Amino acid sequence: MKFKKLVKQFIKDSATYVKAGFPTITKEEYVKRLETCEACPNFNHVHRRCDLCGCYMDHKAKWGTAECPDKPPRWLGIKKK
């Protein structure tokens, strides 16, 4: 992923997270999200990043507003369930 696109996506996701009041998810949901990411072919196990959005999934998976960038998403933000 190109650096400019990565930064743009990070700013967008961060703004959504901040605007929503920094919602987090349960530990169980966090573990489930990470397991889903780790089983995904787009997950970079060396850097623990998603090759689609470029995010570090150990962090992004904690954000309640975050969702998987795959089409269709493998997991959704808490507001979209």
Side-chain angles (χ1 to χ4, degrees), residues 10-29:
F10 176 76
I11 290 170
K12 179 184 170 197
D13 289 344
S14 297
T16 301
Y17 179 60
V18 170
K19 186 176 179 180
F22 305 94
T24 56
I25 57 173
T26 66
K27 183 174 180 161
E28 293 78 17
E29 184 66 22

Side-chain angles (χ1 to χ4, degrees), residues 48-70:
R48 301 208 43 86
R49 292 171 68 154
C50 173
D51 286 337
L52 295 176
C53 67
C55 293
Y56 291 102
M57 298 315 298
D58 292 327
H59 300 289
K60 183 178 179 177
K62 292 179 184 178
W63 296 3
T65 56
E67 67 178 46
C68 172
D70 205 359

Side-chain angles (χ1 to χ4, degrees), residues 66-79:
E67 67 178 46
C68 172
D70 205 359
K71 303 292 183 215
R74 297 172 187 267
W75 47 267
L76 298 174
I78 57 176
K79 300 217 178 228

Side-chain angles (χ1 to χ4, degrees), residues 37-55:
C37 291
E38 290 168 350
C40 177
N42 297 305
F43 185 73
N44 181 318
H45 290 270
V46 174
H47 300 289
R48 301 208 43 86
R49 292 171 68 154
C50 173
D51 286 337
L52 295 176
C53 67
C55 293

